Amino acid sequence: MEDFSIIILFLFVLFLLLGTGVWVGLALMGVAWVGMELFTSRPVGDVMITTIWTASSSWTLTALPLFIWMGEILYRTRLSEDMFKGLAPWMAGLPGGLVHTNIVGCTVFAAVSGSSAATLTTVGKMSIPELRRREYPEPMIIGTLAGAATLGLMIPPSLTLIVYGVTINESISKLFFAGILPGLVLASMFMAYVAISSRVSKKWNPAQEPPMTLGQRIANSRFLLPVICLIMVVIGSMYLGYATATEAAAFGVIGGLVLAASQGSLTWQTFTESLMGATRTSAMIALILAGAAFLSLSMGFTGLPRGLADLIAQWELSKFQLLMVLLVFYIVLGMFLDGISSVVLTMAVVEPMVRQAGIDLIWFGIFIVVVVEMAQITPPIGFNLFVLQGMTNHEMGFIARAAFPMFLIMVVMVFVLILFPEIATWLPENLRQAPGGG
Amino acid sequence: MPLAKRLRTALDFLYLGSGILAALCLIAILILIVVQMLARWTGEVFPGAPDYAGYAMAAASFLAFANALNRGAHIRVSILINAVGPKAQRIINIWCFAIGTAVAWYFVRYCVDFVYWSWKFNDISQGQDRTALWIPQSVMLLGAVIFAIALTDHLISLILKGDHRIQRDLVDQSFGE
Amino acid sequence: EKWDMPMAYSGSNFHSVTGAEFAKCVTTGTQGEIEIVTHPSGSLFPGGQIKRAIQTGQVPIGERLLSGHQNENAIFGVDSVPFLATSFDDADKLWSAAKPTLEKVLADQNLTLLYSVPWPPQGLYFRDEVNSVADMEGIKFRSYNNATARLAELTGMLPVTIEAAEISQAFATGVADSMVSSGATGYDRKVWESLNHFYEVDSWLPRNYIMVNSDVWSGVSDGNKAVVQACAGLAEYAGTWRAVQYTDFTLKGLRDGGMNVAPASDQLKGELQQIGETMTAEWLEAAGPDGAAIVEAFKASKAE
Ligand code: NA
Ligand code: NA
């Protein structure tokens, strides 16, 4: 069976290159090269450059460095401390304490950013130093961050939902509405997990926050105003029609610079440091994206993802069985591919299967986002793991283990979605814009 | 060895300079997007802005690759390297840099063809910018060449002197500990 | 031999369905000597890269909306000159008139043309009612290339650039208020959530072209060439038939979605016709004698 040998070969080369420590983007290119050389007769080098040029020069990609830059600016100003000062009094009383700022911070920032990596970078740069200073358990800090940052894909705007909507011709605005409630539900599940494990865990012994009266808490919330203003500007620019999702990122950078200047924390040094930092981080992500683009093209040529999907189609499953098989299928695929590639590569075969089973395609979009979110935190190729590795110097294995409970929560989320599909479908059905509205 | 020293200075200048160029490209993206929005709000037209921003994006990425490498920003799985002794570490590092260098020069080799054919076919952007594509693509090639040089540089230093010259960014490191 | 065939549009789109049937026909007809595997949704190469990928042998065969390449050569935009050919019959005649020239231009680029299928006719979408060109003054109009930007300019509209993926959101948030596109695009993107009027002005019928790399083609045996060409003929016929059916289907879909679907007012039609003449003249200037010959042949065949 040719498929089987392709799988083994891809896996072997991938583990060899990644495992010995070749840089991820270059390793992906190497794997893709081997796959194409062995299984196709096409000119590999030309195909590689065409694909990487297309992937690297994309207009929609420009939102990524800008949102990262915004995160760098916020990190280098007092804004990050302020956000903490504002959120902390409210979170400190909850079981689990300030770890909740990770989740709430990601949820709020997800409403600005369409990508998981940008959410992770911004919130992580703010929260990691603060949480460490208060001696929260490291795996908890890293794990919740890795998990909650994936909300950037679920809560609109979302790059994954845009790609899905375009691929299957569904309304993107409907998909955006569909993502809101599941995003909030998933965030509360993360928070519930934090609360419970803080009560159960013996290692849980963070520094206590000084007690505060309600008045003090409300007074302290003024520290949140700058961040909230920034988010309102970014979201407002999008929803009031001043900017597209990509352009809104520019509002983020300028808003960040203005806020930093108004606080007096904008110097030539912080400006250049934030700029160079953002340049390097986005270059790091761009190299991996380039490798991923070439790998998914190579897999497209070998026909592997489609072959697997075809195989599933032949089994003639019930609706629930089909969803379970697809869940496993996308989890496995998500270990090796980035989410957007696995959607694009498989949808041609999965879409008719799903339609035939009578599954609502808006609902299925949210299902897909949850599995793509899982892919972000599963090794060996999980984007959030890479980004966190870059930020914290932790080993990949440590981060993946820390994020594993979040992965399980997302699996639970799939079943919640199956049991209560209205979480995804109610809002788009009832918030349908009046013709001409908006 | 004044020649070697001069080469060293020139290479370091090359990596830093391309990094700064990349940062300027990032600013260019910001400016392009802002100007495009301003144009739209005021009833003016700025044709091709998204295309230019896309070229700037590719330029920002490729020109920064070498700088990001030198500052340890590129991600790698270092479980194995951290687990073994210094001698094995050196061998594994040579293998990694050799693979990286090979991939980078392979990329450069075909990127030259790519840019050449864009020029030869007179490949013009399909957007409203009507840019001759070999121009922005040459910037990608330039970045790829600098990246390949940087990898080779580290590989040679690793073989001759026993260590590569990657210095992790201090700011990045502050998140680490 | 396996031929990977990249296609830009989603698997359920009628062009992709036609392409899949063509692939099957060739695979069966050549008894597997040539096995065509289609890759829809731009999953192998996105639309913009497909022509170059075939040209340079990265894939042997593929489908592309050639008018996307009119910056490179104005001839490629022959099917998208506004108000030149405004019905399926006209589009067919224009295609016959342009085919020899297109084949020649493509042959110089190492490409052999197999078949071509039109998109449904392009109409005008607006948020508010429009009865004359004067009503269009200052409306934000989604343009995606120089020709549509020029159309906006000539009608006094304000061209804004919106990527295909951002169309729905752009209309929902008012970044744009109108566009020119087929009923199919509006139906697929469910634009009735934001826009209210579709005017069937049939301004042009762009076409997708299926092309094969000439080096690959010259290596195909005569018997197999005949099979591929026969399948291409069938596909062109079936695809065009589907385009007609799909036009009716999508227009009904727009109506069911709550849009007002109607022909343009006589005044608007007349004014647009004039703009069409201006744009045809401008296109002829860019396309040179080859373009003039095509338009002449087209007009002659229309007069028959
Ligand atoms: Na988001
Ligand atoms: Na993964």
Side-chain angles (χ1 to χ4, degrees), chain C residues 57-302:
Chain C
Q58 298 175 35
V59 286
I61 187 171
E63 178 190 60
R64 175 62 181 150
L65 180 83
L66 264 191
S67 53
H69 296 275
Q70 52 189 318
N71 282 352
E72 181 189 324
N73 186 334
I75 290 290
F76 291 143
V78 64
D79 54 29
S80 302
V81 181
F83 308 102
L84 179 60
T86 56
S87 67
F88 277 102
D89 279 348
D90 278 6
D92 202 44
K93 290 191 176 112
L94 181 60
W95 162 228
S96 304
K99 197 171 177 179
T101 314
L102 273 176
E103 278 176 338
K104 203 178 74 204
V105 173
L106 289 172
D108 288 342
Q109 302 194 343
N110 203 27
L111 293 166
T112 304
L113 196 54
L114 286 181
Y115 71 88
S116 162
V117 172
W119 284 91
Q122 307 280 300
L124 289 167
Y125 289 84
F126 286 99
R127 195 184 300 277
D128 302 313
E129 193 175 327
V130 164
N131 289 312
S132 65
V133 167
D135 289 348
M136 298 182 187
E137 184 72 39
I139 290 180
K140 282 177 277 181
F141 177 80
R142 183 227 170 198
S143 67
Y144 54 90
N145 59 18
N146 289 298
T148 49
R150 179 76 179 130
L151 182 64
E153 205 179 315
L154 288 170
T155 50
M157 290 190 285
L158 180 62
V160 290
T161 314
I162 310 288
E163 294 292 297
E166 288 181 304
I167 287 181
S168 306
Q169 210 199 345
F171 288 135
T173 56
V175 174
D177 298 309
S178 64
M179 66 172 175
V180 59
S181 197
S182 68
T185 310
Y187 176 78
D188 288 345
R189 296 280 145 80
K190 302 190 169 41
V191 294
W192 54 80
E193 288 174 7
S194 319
L195 303 182
N196 303 312
H197 298 274
F198 179 77
Y199 296 103
E200 302 168 79
V201 291
D202 296 356
S203 38
W204 67 88
L205 290 82
R207 306 180 77 94
N208 281 358
Y209 297 81
I210 283 69
M211 297 165 283
V212 60
N213 178 293
S214 295
D215 300 333
V216 173
W217 184 243
S218 60
V220 174
S221 73
D222 284 348
N224 284 345
K225 268 185 189 164
V227 172
V228 174
Q229 271 159 343
C231 291
L234 276 176
E236 183 162 311
Y237 180 81
T240 308
W241 184 81
R242 279 200 184 94
V244 176
Q245 298 295 309
Y246 196 54
T247 306
D248 299 338
F249 171 77
T250 52
L251 292 187
K252 184 177 174 302
L254 291 182
R255 264 188 213 105
D256 292 347
M259 280 190 96
N260 181 15
V261 179
S265 69
D266 287 342
Q267 188 193 348
L268 182 58
K269 255 190 215 159
E271 289 169 338
L272 289 175
Q273 207 62 49
Q274 286 208 315
I275 287 171
E277 272 159 34
T278 310
M279 290 193 71
T280 306
E282 286 172 0
W283 179 78
L284 282 172
E285 214 167 282
D290 277 352
I294 293 174
V295 171
E296 230 162 80
F298 165 64
K299 289 202 167 141
S301 70
K302 246 179 92 168

Side-chain angles (χ1 to χ4, degrees), chain A residues 249-299:
Chain A
F251 275 94
V253 173
I254 293 172
L257 287 172
V258 169
L259 280 181
S262 69
Q263 289 191 335
S265 43
L266 183 68
T267 62
W268 176 246
Q269 195 193 353
T270 53
F271 177 78
T272 50
E273 273 175 5
S274 71
L275 180 60
M276 289 309 290
T279 307
R280 279 193 291 270
T281 306
S282 48
M284 179 268 280
I285 295 179
L287 184 63
I288 299 179
L289 282 179
F294 182 36
L295 178 60
S296 60
L297 182 94
S298 164
M299 293 186 71

Side-chain angles (χ1 to χ4, degrees), chain A residues 13-71:
Chain A
V13 180
L14 187 71
F15 278 113
L16 178 71
L17 294 184
L18 281 181
T20 50
V22 177
W23 294 268
V24 175
L26 298 171
L28 296 186
M29 286 182 206
V31 179
W33 180 84
V34 171
M36 280 202 69
E37 277 295 343
L38 290 185
F39 296 102
T40 70
S41 52
R42 311 263 57 100
V44 184
D46 298 336
V47 169
M48 170 166 113
I49 309 288
T50 308
T51 308
I52 290 179
W53 165 252
T54 312
S56 310
S57 60
S58 131
W59 148 249
T60 31
L61 197 60
T62 54
L64 188 72
L66 293 186
F67 276 126
I68 291 174
W69 189 9
M70 167 178 148

Side-chain angles (χ1 to χ4, degrees), chain A residues 82-108 123 127 131 134 136 187-188 190-192 194-195 198-199 204 206-214 216-218 220-221 224 228:
Chain A
D82 282 0
M83 183 164 164
F84 230 83
K85 272 187 218 157
L87 278 180
W90 300 101
M91 302 296 149
L94 299 175
L98 297 191
V99 174
H100 291 294
T101 50
N102 257 349
I103 298 161
V104 176
C106 283
T107 310
V108 173
V123 177
S127 69
L131 290 175
R134 291 167 172 81
Y136 280 93
S188 0
F190 289 146
M191 290 178 76
V194 171
S198 74
R199 285 280 185 268
W204 194 277
Q208 286 303 309
E209 298 297 307
M212 276 191 187
T213 65
L214 184 66
Q216 282 174 315
R217 287 188 200 179
I218 292 174
N220 250 21
S221 295
L224 282 177
I228 289 175

Side-chain angles (χ1 to χ4, degrees), chain B residues 12-155:
Chain B
D12 288 342
F13 179 76
L14 180 69
Y15 306 143
L16 180 67
S18 67
I20 290 171
L21 267 181
L24 293 178
C25 287
L26 222 154
I27 295 179
I29 293 175
L30 180 67
I31 292 173
L32 281 165
I33 292 178
V34 169
V35 172
Q36 171 176 258
M37 282 190 293
L38 286 176
R40 192 174 58 226
W41 300 340
T42 54
E44 294 294 320
V45 182
F46 179 15
D51 304 278
Y52 296 125
Y55 306 143
M57 178 71 215
S61 307
F62 274 82
L63 288 173
F65 279 165
N67 186 277
L69 177 76
N70 294 339
R71 304 289 285 266
H74 287 302
I75 299 293
R76 58 195 296 208
V77 181
S78 40
I79 305 172
L80 186 65
I81 290 187
N82 290 343
V84 298
K87 217 171 190 178
Q89 226 170 45
R90 186 170 165 209
I91 293 170
I92 295 172
N93 262 330
I94 289 179
W95 149 265
C96 288
F97 274 97
I99 298 265
T101 308
V103 171
W105 283 113
Y106 180 84
F107 187 96
V108 168
R109 150 83 184 72
Y110 284 94
C111 198
V112 170
D113 276 12
F114 183 71
V115 176
Y116 172 75
W117 284 113
S118 287
W119 175 77
K120 183 96 178 159
F121 285 159
N122 187 24
D123 207 348
I124 294 175
S125 147
Q126 295 159 35
Q128 289 173 56
D129 56 311
R130 287 171 163 264
T131 308
L133 284 174
W134 67 267
I135 300 170
Q137 286 166 355
S138 313
V139 183
M140 169 171 78
L141 175 60
L142 178 68
V145 170
I146 296 173
F147 186 41
I149 291 176
L151 281 161
T152 316
D153 187 2
H154 287 296
L155 179 63

Side-chain angles (χ1 to χ4, degrees), chain A residues 324 327 367 370-371 374 410-418:
Chain A
M324 287 305 100
L327 177 62
F367 172 90
V370 180
V371 293
M374 294 177 193
M410 291 178 199
V411 175
V412 174
M413 181 66 200
V414 168
F415 289 95
V416 171
L417 273 175
I418 292 173

Side-chain angles (χ1 to χ4, degrees), chain A residues 42-43 46-47 50 54 59 162 166-167 169-173 238 241 244-246 297 300-301 306 344 432 434-436 438, chain C residues 2 4 10 37-41 43-44 46 49 57-60 163 165-166 169 172-173 175 188 190 192-194 196:
Chain A
R42 311 263 57 100
D46 298 336
V47 169
T50 308
T54 312
W59 148 249
I162 291 176
V166 169
T167 314
N169 286 326
E170 270 299 341
S171 153
I172 289 165
S173 47
M238 244 181 312
T244 63
T246 312
L297 182 94
F301 268 113
R306 273 222 299 207
V344 171
R432 195 134 163 221
Chain C
K2 187 176 149 206
D4 290 293
S10 75
V37 179
T38 60
H39 299 264
S41 297
S43 63
L44 212 49
Q49 297 293 349
Q58 298 175 35
V59 286
E163 294 292 297
E166 288 181 304
Q169 210 199 345
T173 56
V175 174
D188 288 345
K190 302 190 169 41
W192 54 80
E193 288 174 7
S194 319
N196 303 312

Side-chain angles (χ1 to χ4, degrees), chain A residues 123-196:
Chain A
V123 177
K125 284 203 163 186
M126 290 186 200
S127 69
I128 292 176
E130 299 286 339
L131 290 175
R132 277 185 178 159
R133 208 145 46 85
R134 291 167 172 81
E135 295 182 337
Y136 280 93
E138 185 75 8
M140 206 62 185
I141 304 176
I142 305 293
T144 51
L145 196 57
T150 64
L151 291 170
L153 302 178
M154 174 89 88
I155 293 173
S158 155
L159 294 179
T160 314
L161 282 177
I162 291 176
V163 169
Y164 174 80
V166 169
T167 314
I168 66 154
N169 286 326
E170 270 299 341
S171 153
I172 289 165
S173 47
K174 257 191 185 179
L175 284 165
F176 275 7
F177 280 128
I180 296 175
L181 284 181
L184 296 177
V185 169
L186 190 52
S188 0
M189 284 163 68
F190 289 146
M191 290 178 76
Y193 165 76
V194 171
I196 293 168

